[in-house]
Amino acid sequence: MSPRPDSPGRPAAVCMVGAFPPPVHGMSQVNAWMRDALRQRHVPVVVIDLAATGRGWRARLVRLLRVIGGLTGFLRRAAFGPLGIIYLSVSGGWGQVYDIIFVSIARICGIKPVLHHHSYAYLTTRRSLAAVLMQVAGRGATHVVLCSDMERRLRGQYNCQAATLIVSNARLVECHGEERRQRCRRSVDTIGYLGNIAEDKGIGEFLAVAANLAEAGHGMQAVVAGPFLEPRVEGWVRNAVSALDGVSYVGPTYGDAKADFFSHIDVLVFPTKYLNEAEPLAVLEGMAHGVPAIAWGRGCLMEMIADGAGLVIDVKRDFVSHATTQIQQWASASDAFALASESALRKFRERADASTHAYEQLLHMLGA
């Protein structure tokens, strides 16, 4: 990246704006991986962390204060430099108000915007805020998307004429994720749930599938992993786990604990109803271990779990009955399940490899 004229000899920094851990979720983890990749390649990085600390009015207030502080810092750096690029993780909802302000300042100051999209909330349905953001970013921006369907929707919903790069999260899992213990599964003994434990992430459907399998006498285990977001949900989930045979809760899992989780399960059940869902890391990480997934067809999941790497269920259909049937079929046909496990491993590698060039392009654009 060439130096800014107002700061001779100093390389222009990349200003990364978005959510960073903690808390750990898909967007914050990807942002952290991108930050680390740039720093490893000696690119100067300025981080403006806008992560929400939870739900409710207190979390919104904390985020507002972070945004005000972030905007103040960004204005100062934009004025005195050197900043060359703003790399912004696009919010899924009202946070796009803040995104518009950051990108507007960047455009006024001649700083190139790179927008990384992590949400389908404004791609499934056209939204006015997102339309304004696309207009403000302009044709000189670069949009980073997670799959070809996301690119198609971005162009279709907003007539986006700017450049796009398709960089699957699989590339980042491959480069920066935890150790993987790859193996082809031969039998279904344990199903798993990994993620924030909330109604819109499908914990109710997962427990219903576990109950169906227990009632059918399959003797399968079911493991729930992840943090609770609301006390109300925590109460009824813990009661349900206590009441169901073979179901256990192991708490939040990161690092080696997450690798242990994937090494002990055979199928990931992912009944997400989350409107922002795009290319979930939990599914990719499971596939990287050889764990096929059963998921509702949201976001990029139809591309991810293709070619026999699991089962995608139409969002208009009953998830619990279809997932239960598929697990029972795999349990009674080990060869078919082994093929699904092999397909999950292969599909993960294909997605990671397909994004290698685009990922390097992105890093080069950011100054690496």
Side-chain angles (χ1 to χ4, degrees):
M1 188 181 299
S2 59
R4 287 268 292 264
D6 56 344
S7 301
R10 290 178 60 194
V14 175
C15 184
M16 298 188 69
V17 180
F20 290 80
V24 177
H25 50 75
M27 181 191 288
S28 70
Q29 183 62 79
V30 169
N31 284 339
W33 283 337
M34 285 296 301
R35 175 201 61 203
D36 295 346
L38 290 171
R39 286 178 173 169
Q40 287 166 9
R41 300 188 185 204
H42 308 293
V43 177
V45 176
V46 175
V47 171
I48 297 178
D49 183 6
L50 304 182
T53 55
R55 297 186 177 186
W57 68 268
R58 285 189 179 88
R60 293 189 182 96
L61 178 59
V62 169
R63 190 178 188 214
L64 177 60
L65 294 174
R66 283 188 170 186
V67 170
I68 292 171
L71 281 170
T72 303
F74 183 62
L75 278 166
R76 184 172 60 251
R77 290 182 177 275
F80 300 107
L83 285 181
I85 287 178
I86 179 173
Y87 173 94
L88 184 140
S89 293
V90 180
S91 302
W94 287 103
Q96 288 179 0
V97 172
Y98 310 139
D99 297 345
I100 291 167
I101 298 172
F102 275 104
V103 174
S104 297
I105 295 170
R107 292 292 307 280
I108 291 168
C109 296
I111 299 169
K112 176 182 172 64
V114 176
L115 275 57
H116 201 146
H117 299 270
H118 299 271
S119 170
Y120 258 72
Y122 54 90
L123 296 176
T124 303
T125 304
R126 179 182 170 87
R127 295 192 175 177
S128 298
L129 272 179
V132 172
L133 177 61
M134 304 309 160
Q135 288 293 321
V136 170
R139 293 191 177 191
T142 296
H143 295 268
V144 183
V145 295
L146 306 177
C147 62
S148 58
D149 180 71
M150 184 177 254
E151 180 186 44
R152 179 181 61 80
R153 289 175 183 269
L154 182 68
R155 295 199 183 282
Q157 295 283 22
Y158 301 102
N159 192 29
C160 178
Q161 302 297 315
T164 57
L165 283 174
I166 301 175
V167 181
S168 168
N169 286 333
R171 182 72 252 160
L172 286 99
V173 171
E174 177 77 10
C175 294
H176 307 287
E178 291 87 1
E179 175 191 0
R180 295 185 299 280
R181 303 167 189 174
Q182 300 178 359
R183 67 178 175 89
C184 177
R185 270 71 176 164
R186 300 290 173 184
S187 61
V188 184
D189 301 309
T190 305
I191 64 172
Y193 173 103
L194 176 66
N196 289 332
I197 301 174
E199 290 175 291
D200 60 359
K201 297 293 278 187
I203 185 61
E205 284 79 3
F206 176 82
L207 292 173
V209 171
N212 283 354
L213 295 170
E215 187 177 343
H218 286 285
M220 287 186 198
Q221 301 295 302
V223 183
V224 178
F228 290 102
L229 299 183
E230 300 176 21
R232 177 183 60 83
V233 174
E234 179 175 3
W236 71 257
V237 169
R238 288 189 181 276
N239 288 338
V241 167
S242 299
L244 289 169
D245 291 335
V247 181
S248 59
Y249 172 60
V250 296
T253 56
Y254 307 108
D256 290 341
K258 188 192 292 184
D260 288 340
F261 170 83
F262 282 120
S263 69
H264 285 97
I265 70 167
D266 303 299
V267 176
L268 182 72
V269 180
F270 198 80
T272 181
K273 296 171 279 188
Y274 188 45
L275 292 178
N276 288 306
E277 206 69 72
E279 194 190 23
L281 295 182
V283 174
L284 289 171
E285 289 167 331
M287 293 169 67
H289 284 78
V291 177
I294 299 175
W296 253 323
R298 298 185 182 278
C300 299
L301 282 159
M302 285 175 283
E303 290 186 27
M304 296 165 64
I305 313 175
D307 305 323
L311 174 68
V312 175
I313 299 171
D314 189 289
V315 294
K316 296 178 182 177
R317 299 196 172 192
D318 178 63
F319 183 91
V320 174
S321 63
H322 283 79
T324 302
T325 299
Q326 181 64 78
I327 294 168
Q328 290 173 325
Q329 289 175 351
W330 279 336
S332 61
S334 59
D335 289 345
F337 180 63
L339 284 174
S341 178
E342 291 171 1
S343 296
L345 277 169
R346 184 183 67 252
K347 192 66 180 176
F348 171 80
R349 295 191 190 107
E350 288 175 357
R351 290 190 70 80
D353 292 345
S355 289
T356 299
H357 180 65
Y359 178 59
E360 291 300 323
Q361 272 187 285
L362 175 59
L363 292 177
H364 180 72
M365 180 192 307
L366 297 175

